[in-house]
Amino acid sequence: MSGLDSGTLQEGRITVEEKKRIETIAAQLNEASDAYYNGRDEKMSNYEWDALFDELSELEAATGYILPDSPTQNVGSDSGGDRELHEFPALSLAKTKRIEDLQEWAGNMPVWLSWKLDGLTLVLTYDKGRLHKIVTRGNGTTGSNITFMKSAIYGVPHKIEYQGHLVVRGEAAISYPEFARINATIEAEDGKYANPRNLASGTLGLDKSNLDKVKERHIQFHAFTLVHVDEELDSWGARMDYLDKLGFTTVERERTDAFSLPETVARWTNRVEQGEMELPVDGLVICYEDDAYARSGSVTGHHATRGGYAFKWQDVSAETELLYVEWSCAASTISPVAVFEPVQLEGTTVSRASLCNISEMERLGIGADGQTRMEVIKANKIIPKCVAVKSAQGKFEIPDSCPVCHARTEIHVSENSGTKTLHCTNPDCTAKHVKKFTRFVSKTGMDIDGLSIQTMLRFMNLGYISDFADVYRLHEHSDEIRNLEGFGDKSCDNMLAAIEKSRHGSPVHLIYALCIPLVGTDAAKKIVDAVGYQGFLTRLEEGSGFEDVDGIGPERSNSIVDWYADENNRRVFDRLLQELDIEQVEPKITKGGRCEGLTFVITGDVHHFANRNAFKEYVQKENGSVTGSVSGKTNYLVNNDAASTSSKNQKAKSLGIPIISEDEFLAMFG
């Protein structure tokens, strides 16, 4: 260890209590950092982290006692993946909460101000115009090679015009809207992610088998510095402009100086406070315009003295009284939300904050409703968060029934982290199928603006929505909706207008919106073109299927028939139809044609036609249908080997369906 030996203790520079306090804080921060950098449940808020970090820094400065693994000496690390040494160490930035420190650092040099994005730092390397590797920041010296994710991370060019050696560093971040959407559908045992940064880190820690999940979470790479390029570019602004030219998404930036910094910082800070930022930011960064000057600095600990300076906002907190805990079901998890006496924070009125899960409530020491006094902040000036309980009496109650479906609840304890989360035991709970509602209201579905996944979950927990038809009855709750936090007359009116407009939709959009397995927009269009809207309804009721429709086949047809055979699906559909006025589209039938009204199955080799697809096109042009399997609706099986014992021949014979050769087909229909 540095800064301490037995003589130091004897001289009285540090007391036993101070030594113990330093070791305790360092251990707490390291544990929290490990969870933070590896996408696990956060152990403490940034507010708590900063307070402990500042206390540790002051104790170390006063005593000279600095542990080798002290958080003041080490950058965070991620685990997992193949470890790789950085070509250029990814050093951390010195941080301050005082604008005066920024001004002193800038001196008389021009500087650039940019966002300090709250995500996961990645280093991209290019050679000969191609992406060579993607490595996480890790501990600053080594990181995890995640090049296999290159197609799943947005904003990562695979090819660039520059043919030399290029290294770029940037932040992989998830926007607040995407975070809310994803978190609402997560069914993991550990419950919801605490913030977008936690979700980004957890996502980039997934393995190769989860690339689809990585891609659907829309992680975006934002370049914040050009680390190396073979050419001479000594202006930081020019280097960033060059990255723009190469096709990178770069961080927003503004050139300024020490004199203008207070005004510039205030203006950028105001944008965050006014809710303009969709990307999570946890501060600002300044760097020198003269890049050569910046690179000439020394390294102190893990900080490059001229590499940049980070500014973090002072968290503004307020004390308030907990009114009650609202339990909200999303996917499989029922999460607690603190509803408290409204307080003013960062220019807005705040009255609600997520409590994450049961374990977090226990950690904070939440008491009974109306008997808990708590301290709240807006983390990163955006997300309301309870950071401490000042006083509490009694114990919070855990609901024994789901707020949506009223089924029994049960507590799950994660095997990995020991985190306690509350779950609904009903597999058919509406909140567990919120993805279906997202598809129902989507552009390709019923096209209803103003109904995000979070809004629908909120309405489900309030009892307004239990099936698709209830969406069209939200007007019955308009008075309550107008008074909900985040709503108002205008947003409510816009939503209700969009709902009314969608009542008069097309059958293709309706069929897609029903969420029938294997049936997308293309299949819906083929069905409507072939049999029309009324034909679709009639076949559902008769259970006669859609095998004869070109492009549907037996698997999709059976899926539709099975879907409608389910009593609950049928009930939901019948209720929905009472709310809609769907366009009465007729089938697109061209009268005439040699094969009109006939259904064929074509199997085996063909010799007159180029291939079976060409054969199929001819039949369709002559107003006939071609299916992939023999059924009672088949008129002819075309097979040049009539003596074959194939399953199709046998099925046709058992059903009394004529088996004809290609020559016979042409003689009859050519």
Side-chain angles (χ1 to χ4, degrees):
M1 66 182 65
S2 62
L4 176 72
D5 54 29
S6 57
T8 304
L9 284 172
Q10 292 169 0
E11 292 169 4
R13 283 191 59 199
I14 181 172
T15 66
V16 173
E17 289 75 15
E18 288 173 330
K19 177 177 180 291
K20 184 177 180 180
R21 181 60 179 162
I22 287 173
E23 292 170 350
T24 299
I25 295 175
Q28 289 177 329
L29 291 178
N30 283 332
E31 182 184 4
S33 179
D34 182 62
Y36 178 84
Y37 280 95
N38 291 293
R40 296 192 294 274
D41 287 347
E42 63 175 17
K43 301 295 183 181
M44 63 180 67
S45 67
N46 286 342
Y47 181 80
E48 295 168 289
W49 166 276
D50 288 344
L52 287 175
F53 188 89
D54 290 345
E55 182 184 350
L56 179 62
S57 298
E58 291 172 5
L59 283 169
E60 289 177 343
T63 64
Y65 181 36
I66 304 173
L67 294 165
D69 64 345
S70 171
T72 64
Q73 305 300 303
N74 300 309
V75 297
S77 176
D78 54 75
S79 60
D82 296 331
R83 306 301 289 176
E84 184 147 343
L85 187 70
H86 286 301
E87 180 182 1
F88 303 94
L91 302 173
S92 61
L93 299 179
K95 300 175 180 64
T96 184
K97 294 183 179 181
R98 288 165 30 90
I99 294 179
E100 294 82 1
D101 292 339
L102 296 184
Q103 291 177 290
E104 182 180 346
W105 188 85
N108 60 1
M109 306 278 289
V111 293
W112 286 88
L113 182 77
S114 62
W115 297 115
K116 185 176 181 293
L117 297 179
D118 195 16
L120 196 72
T121 299
L122 302 180
V123 181
L124 278 52
T125 303
Y126 291 81
D127 286 299
K128 297 181 179 179
R130 292 182 176 273
L131 177 64
H132 177 58
K133 60 183 175 181
I134 304 174
V135 181
T136 64
R137 179 189 185 188
N139 62 11
T141 303
T142 60
S144 300
N145 190 316
I146 59 168
T147 312
F148 64 88
M149 289 189 180
K150 65 182 181 181
S151 297
I153 303 172
Y154 294 84
V156 174
H158 294 184
K159 295 180 182 179
I160 58 175
E161 184 179 325
Y162 180 67
Q163 295 297 303
H165 183 60
L166 182 141
V167 180
V168 59
R169 198 175 295 145
E171 201 80 354
I174 294 177
S175 70
Y176 282 114
E178 283 297 311
F179 166 71
R181 179 187 66 81
I182 296 161
N183 223 17
T185 60
I186 287 177
E187 300 183 18
E189 283 289 297
D190 288 346
K192 310 303 178 184
Y193 284 91
N195 50 55
R197 195 251 172 250
N198 193 248
L199 175 57
S201 179
T203 301
L204 293 181
L206 297 172
D207 58 26
K208 295 179 181 179
S209 66
N210 286 289
L211 288 181
D212 287 344
K213 182 178 289 187
V214 175
K215 191 165 186 177
E216 73 180 17
R217 291 183 177 181
H218 288 89
I219 295 182
Q220 176 80 35
F221 178 78
H222 305 263
F224 59 65
T225 190
L226 175 52
V227 180
H228 173 83
V229 64
D230 293 337
E231 299 176 1
E232 287 295 323
L233 283 173
D234 285 337
S235 159
W236 187 85
R239 293 167 79 89
M240 294 301 292
D241 289 344
Y242 189 58
L243 288 177
D244 285 329
K245 180 182 175 183
L246 291 176
F248 289 92
T249 300
T250 57
V251 291
E252 185 180 352
R253 52 198 180 271
E254 178 180 343
R255 182 167 166 160
T256 185
D257 54 37
F259 177 78
S260 304
L261 266 172
E263 182 277 328
T264 310
V265 169
R267 182 160 32 83
W268 281 53
T269 300
N270 184 62
R271 292 174 58 188
V272 180
E273 292 176 344
Q274 296 303 312
E276 293 183 20
M277 298 299 296
E278 284 200 347
L279 286 172
V281 295
D282 62 351
L284 304 167
V285 174
I286 61 168
C287 58
Y288 293 114
E289 158 68 350
D290 188 338
D291 195 70
Y293 175 77
R295 285 184 276 115
S296 68
S298 60
V299 175
T300 301
H302 286 267
H303 307 302
T305 57
R306 295 177 181 171
Y309 210 165
F311 174 77
K312 297 195 72 173
W313 295 293
Q314 293 278 2
D315 284 311
V316 179
S317 66
E319 284 193 23
T320 184
E321 186 170 321
L322 175 69
L323 299 177
Y324 58 92
V325 174
E326 177 181 288
W327 294 82
S328 177
C329 187
S332 63
T333 310
I334 304 173
S335 302
V337 176
V339 181
F340 44 81
E341 287 286 357
V343 291
Q344 287 290 316
L345 284 175
E346 313 284 3
T348 61
T349 302
V350 179
S351 60
R352 300 164 58 87
S354 171
L355 292 172
C356 298
N357 49 52
I358 296 171
S359 292
E360 178 66 2
M361 294 178 72
E362 292 175 342
R363 186 186 75 82
L364 288 167
I366 299 292
D369 293 351
Q371 299 182 56
T372 301
R373 189 148 190 87
M374 55 202 295
E375 183 180 11
V376 294
I377 65 168
K378 284 179 73 176
N380 294 349
K381 295 187 175 291
I382 297 291
I383 302 177
K385 184 173 183 63
C386 174
V387 294
V389 168
K390 296 301 182 181
S391 63
Q393 295 181 16
K395 187 177 181 181
F396 63 86
E397 293 185 6
I398 300 173
D400 55 13
S401 64
C402 171
V404 174
C405 70
H406 309 295
R408 180 178 58 84
T409 61
E410 61 183 21
I411 297 173
H412 289 188
V413 180
S414 167
E415 293 182 4
N416 297 325
S417 64
T419 302
K420 297 178 185 176
T421 52
L422 189 65
H423 293 253
C424 172
T425 58
N426 176 16
D428 295 320
C429 178
T430 303
K432 292 185 179 182
H433 301 287
V434 69
K435 286 184 179 180
K436 291 184 177 180
F437 286 82
T438 304
R439 173 166 166 168
F440 181 81
V441 303
S442 67
K443 285 283 184 186
T444 43
M446 299 307 292
D447 190 14
I448 305 175
D449 286 332
L451 274 177
S452 67
I453 191 169
Q454 296 78 35
T455 299
M456 285 188 288
L457 280 169
R458 200 169 174 187
F459 290 167
M460 289 174 186
N461 279 277
L462 289 169
Y464 300 166
I465 295 178
S466 61
D467 62 37
F468 293 152
D470 290 332
V471 171
Y472 294 93
R473 295 177 181 173
L474 284 173
H475 62 275
E476 298 173 2
H477 308 281
S478 60
D479 290 342
E480 302 102 295
I481 292 172
R482 293 177 198 279
N483 292 315
L484 291 176
E485 183 179 357
F487 270 90
D489 289 339
K490 185 175 181 181
S491 57
C492 182
D493 288 342
N494 289 343
M495 179 191 71
L496 294 177
I499 291 172
E500 285 304 307
K501 181 181 177 182
S502 76
R503 288 182 188 271
H504 313 286
S506 76
V508 172
H509 283 209
L510 171 63
I511 294 171
Y512 174 84
L514 293 174
C515 304
I516 302 171
L518 305 180
V519 179
T521 304
D522 184 58
K525 189 176 186 307
K526 288 177 178 177
I527 289 171
V528 174
D529 285 349
V531 303
Y533 177 53
Q534 191 56 51
F536 169 72
L537 297 179
T538 300
R539 291 197 183 197
L540 281 182
E541 293 172 2
E542 294 176 347
S544 53
F546 302 86
E547 282 187 43
D548 58 315
V549 176
D550 180 39
I552 298 303
E555 188 176 8
R556 277 199 182 96
S557 177
N558 290 338
S559 179
I560 299 169
V561 171
D562 292 344
W563 175 85
Y564 191 74
D566 182 277
E567 183 178 349
N568 186 60
N569 290 336
R570 196 164 58 250
R571 178 188 61 80
V572 168
F573 185 49
D574 290 344
R575 286 192 72 223
L576 178 62
L577 288 182
Q578 295 175 28
E579 302 291 339
L580 302 176
D581 179 21
I582 299 300
E583 182 183 357
Q584 295 295 322
V585 175
E586 297 296 326
K588 292 183 178 179
I589 297 177
T590 304
K591 296 298 181 182
R594 294 181 178 88
C595 303
E596 181 179 5
L598 299 176
T599 300
F600 298 83
V601 173
I602 303 168
T603 189
D605 295 329
V606 295
H607 48 266
H608 283 295
F609 292 94
N611 49 48
R612 278 190 285 180
N613 278 337
F615 196 160
K616 177 180 177 181
E617 288 175 5
Y618 174 82
V619 173
Q620 291 173 337
K621 189 180 65 145
E622 295 297 328
N623 207 22
S625 298
V626 177
T627 62
S629 61
V630 177
S631 71
K633 296 179 181 178
T634 305
N635 296 105
Y636 294 95
L637 171 63
V638 182
N639 189 346
N640 285 323
D641 184 5
S644 167
T645 58
S646 68
S647 59
K648 288 180 180 177
N649 272 25
Q650 291 178 13
K651 182 76 176 288
K653 289 176 181 177
S654 68
L655 294 174
I657 295 168
I659 303 173
I660 60 174
S661 67
E662 194 177 356
D663 290 334
E664 290 173 316
F665 171 86
L666 290 172
M668 298 166 67
F669 307 105

